[in-house]
Amino acid sequence: MTKITDRETRQHNIRVRIESDTDLVSARHAGRMLAEQAGFTSSELTLIATAISELARNIIEYANFGEIHLELVQNGSARGIRIVARDAGPGIGNIEQALRGGFSTSGGLGLGLAGVRHIMDNFDVESNVGAGTCVTVTKWKL
Amino acid sequence: MTKITDRETRQHNIRVRIESDTDLVSARHAGRMLAEQAGFTSSELTLIATAISELARNIIEYANFGEIHLELVQNGSARGIRIVARDAGPGIGNIEQALRGGFSTSGGLGLGLAGVRHIMDNFDVESNVGAGTCVTVTKWKL
Amino acid sequence: MAVPILKQSNYLIATIQSALTDQDFVQLRDALVDKVGRFRSRGVIVDVTAIDVLDSFASRTLRDLAYMIRLRGAHTVIVGIQPDVAFAMVQLGITLADVSTALDLEEGLAFLDDVGAET
Amino acid sequence: MAVPILKQSNYLIATIQSALTDQDFVQLRDALVDKVGRFRSRGVIVDVTAIDVLDSFASRTLRDLAYMIRLRGAHTVIVGIQPDVAFAMVQLGITLADVSTALDLEEGLAFLDDVGAET
Ligand SMILES: Nc1ncnc2c1ncn2[C@@H]1O[C@H](COP(=O)(O)OP(=O)(O)O)[C@@H](O)[C@H]1O
Ligand SMILES: Nc1ncnc2c1ncn2[C@@H]1O[C@H](COP(=O)(O)OP(=O)(O)O)[C@@H](O)[C@H]1O
């Protein structure tokens, strides 16, 4: 990962350490601020904040702590926001099952990952049992 | 299984033989008493008693008799209570289905196992058809 | 542990006084369904204030009781579910959605009067 | 961030004023379930107008709150879910299908009066 100084990151790039439920509120807030810069509509901002909330909660719930990395991205003329949720927790044993929706190992609604996938445009999970989980999602501004 | 004398077990360890519905009330009561020692809140005590009730009823319902073993456990500074419900009954053919919730082979609500899993922090079922079932659950004091 | 059932004008009031076995719950259900007929009662109150666990069996039996009594033309209201018990029930997935509930005996009586069960 | 809970005749009104943590939601649930008993309230309104995200945890806690309060004999109505929030909830797969909702506080009060919670 490239090291980025604070000043450079101000506008395009925010890292939020996730280890308590107040961090979850901060991450949501940071994502909303950043996405606003990319010109997302208020409705899209809410989707983005909701996705961040679900991913950050999974970090706390399953891995105790981790990080949310928010980044403005560009693809040709398209602008978007990328959210990377990374932890070094237990990992997901069966990713297909975890994405199916309605499946939960914790008594949750199990809507989180399936819902986030639905809300966002790109969705990718990398997870190794015992090593951790990294969920990368992107929402493009249409 | 290690043999433990009565005196030693008084505080940390209770076995309740389950063969009638009055044993179910005793097991609930014993679990509540033991969990109280670990400092669980009144709301958590009720969850624990409810979980014991569901597991003990499954023993009577499906295996006729069996045992509930209640134990105070420690993990670092965390204290908890472990409930082991063991029987030598018919076993569970399809564990995934039995855990899904809303599934019942006996006309029950089928909330038992799924509900217990939701209520407790750790949940494990071992079952072999024709050999019996052992459900181990743990609740940690936060 | 038989549950005392009190007849008060058109109502029957069953006050559970300590933990019940499954068998006790079934007996309570059957006794109430029977007595509603014998006393021509219009309303039934089951007071569970003293109960510290309402698991899936107990909840199902209470629900069946309410349905059976409805089929006999009377109303049932469950009163006194304690906060901890309500929490455990909901965590277990039990909502008793189509059974009437009230805070306590007094509210239960008011409820039955409201639904016109008193006349 | 404690949520102020107002008692207005037979109702309790909880007005969420800013983003809540998960813990805040759980505390709100428990406070309302407790106060319904202490004040003998017949209806509860949770005003989420100020909330910009209702994710799966918040929604589940609101649903549990409504179920628990029902088991205690009172009605709950969630008011003020904003259009953007409603959109995100539905996209996420959350419908709060068996929880009562109303447009705003005024409609929420009217709803409670309608279901006869006022007396
Ligand atoms: N960061 C993570 N680390 C480990 N397991 C995870 C993580 N995120 C999700 N999971 C697994 O995927 C399942 C589905 O997650 P989700 O859809 O968010 O629903 P819920 O959290 O309500 O169970 C979880 O029950 C859990 O087993
Ligand atoms: N101890 C047991 N022995 C054999 N089968 C069991 C046992 N416990 C649960 N089961 C099976 O798992 C299913 C689901 O159990 P549960 O969720 O408790 O619901 P219910 O008892 O209401 O059916 C049961 O219908 C039964 O088939």
Side-chain angles (χ1 to χ4, degrees):
Chain A
M1 224 172 288
T2 38
K3 210 171 168 292
I4 304 170
T5 68
D6 227 329
R7 175 132 320 159
E8 283 170 359
T9 65
R10 270 274 277 309
Q11 305 291 315
H12 310 300
N13 214 309
I14 304 174
R15 285 172 196 279
V16 185
R17 184 159 172 79
I18 304 293
E19 52 190 351
S20 80
D21 66 353
T22 55
D23 298 330
L24 207 146
V25 177
S26 316
R28 231 146 65 183
H29 188 68
R32 190 180 269 278
M33 303 291 281
L34 199 65
E36 237 164 14
Q37 293 179 28
F40 281 104
T41 64
S42 123
S43 171
E44 290 166 329
L45 293 176
T46 302
L47 288 179
I48 291 163
T50 306
I52 292 171
S53 202
E54 297 292 334
L55 295 177
R57 181 172 300 96
N58 280 354
I59 291 177
I60 296 174
E61 175 93 22
Y62 302 107
N64 295 313
F65 59 89
E67 185 193 66
I68 295 269
H69 183 197
L70 304 159
E71 199 178 3
L72 291 185
V73 288
Q74 191 119 18
N75 186 352
S77 66
R79 295 188 75 189
I81 183 167
R82 178 187 298 143
I83 304 160
V84 182
R86 187 190 303 273
D87 66 63
I92 303 178
N94 185 334
I95 294 183
E96 211 185 291
Q97 190 178 46
L99 293 184
R100 206 179 292 147
F103 168 82
S104 173
T105 56
S106 69
L109 297 178
L111 298 171
L113 286 180
V116 169
R117 184 189 208 168
H118 187 190
I119 282 180
M120 304 301 279
D121 297 318
N122 301 87
F123 182 96
D124 178 68
V125 190
E126 267 179 68
S127 186
N128 291 304
V129 172
T133 301
C134 182
V135 183
T136 305
V137 299
T138 311
K139 180 96 189 156
W140 296 103
K141 173 86 213 78
L142 296 183
Chain B
M1 228 170 286
T2 39
K3 209 171 166 296
I4 303 169
T5 68
D6 226 328
R7 175 132 320 156
E8 283 171 0
T9 64
R10 271 271 280 307
Q11 305 291 316
H12 311 299
N13 214 308
I14 305 175
R15 284 173 197 279
V16 186
R17 181 158 175 82
I18 304 293
E19 52 190 351
S20 80
D21 65 354
T22 56
D23 298 329
L24 206 147
V25 177
S26 316
R28 231 146 66 184
H29 188 69
R32 191 180 268 277
M33 303 290 281
L34 199 66
E36 236 164 16
Q37 293 179 29
F40 282 103
T41 64
S42 118
S43 171
E44 290 166 328
L45 294 177
T46 303
L47 289 179
I48 291 163
T50 306
I52 293 171
S53 203
E54 296 292 335
L55 296 177
R57 180 171 301 97
N58 280 354
I59 291 177
I60 297 174
E61 175 95 22
Y62 301 108
N64 295 314
F65 60 89
E67 186 192 65
I68 295 270
H69 183 196
L70 303 160
E71 199 179 2
L72 291 185
V73 289
Q74 190 121 15
N75 186 354
S77 66
R79 297 189 74 189
I81 183 168
R82 178 186 298 143
I83 303 161
V84 182
R86 189 190 303 274
D87 65 62
I92 303 178
N94 185 334
I95 294 184
E96 212 185 290
Q97 191 178 46
L99 292 184
R100 208 176 290 148
F103 169 82
S104 174
T105 55
S106 69
L109 297 177
L111 298 171
L113 286 180
V116 168
R117 183 188 205 169
H118 188 185
I119 283 179
M120 305 299 280
D121 297 318
N122 302 88
F123 181 96
D124 179 67
V125 190
E126 268 179 67
S127 187
N128 291 303
V129 173
T133 301
C134 182
V135 183
T136 304
V137 299
T138 311
K139 180 96 190 157
W140 297 101
K141 173 87 212 77
L142 297 182
Chain C
M1 173 51 59
V3 176
I5 298 175
L6 200 89
K7 183 180 173 313
Q8 181 175 315
S9 71
N10 275 320
Y11 303 150
L12 295 176
I13 302 171
T15 309
I16 299 176
Q17 291 174 317
S18 63
L20 295 189
T21 65
D22 293 359
Q23 198 44 49
D24 294 333
F25 265 109
V26 168
Q27 269 163 21
L28 172 64
R29 180 196 69 199
D30 294 344
L32 282 171
V33 171
D34 173 57
K35 282 198 159 65
V36 153
R38 284 201 280 130
F39 296 127
R40 315 186 72 75
S41 307
R42 305 288 294 273
V44 170
I45 294 180
V46 181
D47 188 343
V48 301
T49 305
I51 290 263
D52 74 333
V53 168
L54 281 173
D55 64 7
S56 61
F57 184 88
S59 301
R60 177 154 48 111
T61 310
L62 288 177
R63 190 199 60 187
D64 290 354
L65 178 166
Y67 287 164
M68 287 166 75
I69 282 172
R70 250 279 302 148
L71 290 171
R72 306 267 284 154
H75 288 275
T76 300
V77 53
I78 311 293
V79 307
I81 298 178
Q82 295 303 298
D84 289 346
V85 177
F87 178 64
M89 288 170 76
V90 168
Q91 293 306 306
L92 209 60
I94 300 166
T95 56
L96 287 185
D98 32 22
V99 177
S100 301
T101 49
L103 188 67
D104 56 18
L105 187 57
E106 192 186 329
E107 297 287 329
L109 287 165
F111 171 85
L112 288 180
D113 289 350
D114 271 4
V115 296
E118 91 272 36
T119 43
Chain D
M1 175 50 58
V3 176
I5 297 175
L6 201 88
K7 184 182 173 312
Q8 180 175 315
S9 71
N10 275 320
Y11 302 150
L12 295 175
I13 302 172
T15 309
I16 299 177
Q17 290 173 318
S18 63
L20 295 188
T21 65
D22 294 359
Q23 199 44 47
D24 294 333
F25 266 109
V26 167
Q27 269 163 21
L28 174 64
R29 179 196 70 199
D30 293 343
L32 283 171
V33 170
D34 173 58
K35 282 197 159 67
V36 154
R38 283 201 282 130
F39 297 127
R40 313 183 69 74
S41 308
R42 304 287 293 272
V44 170
I45 294 179
V46 181
D47 188 342
V48 300
T49 306
I51 290 265
D52 74 332
V53 168
L54 280 174
D55 65 6
S56 61
F57 184 89
S59 301
R60 175 154 50 108
T61 309
L62 288 177
R63 189 199 61 186
D64 289 354
L65 177 167
Y67 286 161
M68 286 166 73
I69 282 171
R70 244 281 301 156
L71 289 172
R72 306 267 285 153
H75 289 274
T76 300
V77 53
I78 311 293
V79 308
I81 299 179
Q82 295 302 299
D84 289 347
V85 177
F87 179 64
M89 289 171 75
V90 169
Q91 294 306 307
L92 210 59
I94 300 167
T95 56
L96 286 186
D98 32 22
V99 177
S100 302
T101 49
L103 188 67
D104 56 18
L105 188 56
E106 191 186 331
E107 297 288 330
L109 288 165
F111 170 86
L112 288 180
D113 289 350
D114 271 5
V115 296
E118 92 275 34
T119 44

